[in-house]
Amino acid sequence: MSHERISVRPREAADLDECVRVLAEVHDNDGYPVNWPQDPADWLAPAGSPAAWVALLDDRIVGHVRLSPGRPGDTTPDLWSSRTGLSPAGTAVVSRLFVSPKARGLGVGTLLLDETVREARAGGLHPVLEVVISHRSAAALYERQGWTLMATGERRWGPDQTVLIHSYAAPVATAP
């Protein structure tokens, strides 16, 4: 689904304040991220930041997504590797995907997800991601887009916090 007033473009440094504002709306509405980061701009765009995109509705930022290289030791890339026999370095991790509550139902999440999948595949990488199981609408988006649930497991996010995470892999690319 697309919407003529929605566009996706690479995130720029000047976008970060608005991205943090939208992230705060999402956090207040949905509890994402589970733990509000001490420095939300750095959480979205750390030093040496990987590729990221924003979605705009009538030239206002309404969504965000980031794509990072998979690394050995990362749970979901390792899981994908164990299932395919390929290196975790052959993955790209989709993260920091969020859409303003005001822009839901317009296809924004799908457009952002499609952009990261295209970018990962252009680099010869297979997209994977993790989502906290309580974020059902996010999981539903991935499943509608054909992503495969590889596993559900506990992750330790601190000395006093364990969360349940779904690990997903994008559908296998088909030849054009």
Side-chain angles (χ1 to χ4, degrees):
M1 178 190 322
S2 66
H3 196 280
E4 63 276 355
R5 300 179 313 165
I6 300 170
S7 60
V8 174
R9 66 164 169 75
R11 184 192 66 215
E12 300 168 358
D15 296 330
L16 281 176
D17 287 344
E18 188 65 10
C19 288
V20 168
R21 187 194 65 70
V22 174
L23 182 63
E25 285 179 8
V26 171
H27 179 73
D28 290 346
N29 193 72
D30 304 323
Y32 176 84
V34 171
N35 300 318
W36 185 253
Q38 186 171 0
D39 183 345
D42 186 60
W43 185 76
L44 291 172
S49 189
W53 295 266
V54 292
L56 298 107
L57 172 61
D58 296 332
D59 298 321
R60 288 192 53 90
I61 292 174
V62 294
H64 177 277
V65 68
R66 191 172 91 185
L67 190 64
S68 309
R71 299 180 312 262
D74 287 350
T75 305
T76 298
D78 283 350
L79 181 59
W80 181 84
S81 174
S82 72
R83 289 177 169 226
T84 63
L86 301 171
S87 168
T91 64
V93 179
V94 177
S95 65
R96 310 302 192 253
L97 174 57
F98 56 91
V99 175
S100 167
K102 298 171 189 159
R104 305 249 169 101
L106 300 176
V108 174
T110 298
L111 290 171
L112 288 165
L113 195 58
D114 288 351
E115 185 66 31
T116 59
V117 168
R118 263 192 304 282
E119 184 73 16
R121 289 186 174 149
L125 302 173
H126 192 84
V128 297
L129 59 80
E130 296 181 345
V131 62
V132 176
I133 67 163
S134 61
H135 294 147
R136 290 179 185 84
S137 60
L141 167 66
Y142 308 138
E143 291 174 12
R144 279 193 310 271
Q145 297 302 308
W147 288 60
T148 301
L149 176 61
M150 295 186 292
T152 299
E154 289 186 347
R155 299 286 186 281
R156 196 136 187 81
W157 281 4
D160 301 320
Q161 187 178 29
T162 302
V163 294
L164 283 175
I165 299 286
H166 289 314
S167 294
Y168 283 93
V172 174
T174 56

